[in-house]
Amino acid sequence: VARQQLMAERLPSGPGLGSDPGKNPVFLLMVSGQIESAEFPEFDELYCNYCFVYGQDWAIVSGLSEGITQTTKRSSGREKHFVWNFPVDATFKSTNPYGWPQIVVSAYGLNTFGRDEVRGYGAVHLPITPGRHTLEVSMFVPEPSSQFQKLLRSALASDSNSYKVTLLYSPRTV
């Protein structure tokens, strides 16, 4: 489970915010927070990738649409989790709530061959109400169906995991 703390704020449109008379009014969604921590008891080192996916009526007007955290080691305390506290900050605009933005988080680590291998991925919609929110993302990982595929996946991790995680969470599939 990856844990994120995000602050979401919807700002109404108005003069100077991109709302012109005779055109569709826009609204803004501001997200500011961090990818805080994750629990993966079977791994020692991980890093995270994040990106936003959203419908075609949405656009990012400030901030980054994707990012990558530092690599961290599992804590040695009782909880044994990974801590990133990685900042996330973006402002979106839209004329339509369809395709409400989601944050997609992928966790990666090195396999026995020293190649990046996906350890989990998941997504969650950004909050629709203003205020402070703590979001928990359930993480999933594709599992090979045989020992041979498992060995092949480890040896060719870069190629076999090259699918685009964001395709799994596009507005058309969720």
Side-chain angles (χ1 to χ4, degrees), residues 37-107:
S37 63
E39 296 173 17
F40 284 91
E42 62 275 10
F43 303 113
D44 293 324
E45 289 186 359
L46 291 177
Y47 68 91
C48 275
N49 248 343
Y50 81 88
C51 66
F52 293 104
V53 294
Y54 42 87
Q56 56 190 359
D57 290 338
W58 289 82
I60 291 185
V61 293
S62 74
L64 298 175
S65 63
E66 59 185 291
I68 187 169
T69 69
Q70 73 278 11
T71 300
T72 187
K73 292 183 180 275
R74 185 178 53 205
S75 65
S76 58
R78 190 175 59 171
E79 293 183 18
K80 298 198 185 271
H81 60 273
F82 297 91
V83 177
W84 290 287
N85 294 327
F86 190 78
V88 175
D89 190 29
T91 301
F92 299 87
K93 79 172 183 176
S94 182
T95 58
N96 183 347
Y98 178 77
W100 192 269
Q102 299 176 69
I103 186 167
V104 178
V105 180
S106 306

Side-chain angles (χ1 to χ4, degrees), residues 103-126:
I103 186 167
V104 178
V105 180
S106 306
Y108 293 87
L110 297 179
N111 66 14
T112 55
F113 297 102
R115 297 184 181 201
D116 287 338
E117 188 170 356
V118 67
R119 302 298 191 195
Y121 58 87
V124 65
H125 282 92
L126 298 179

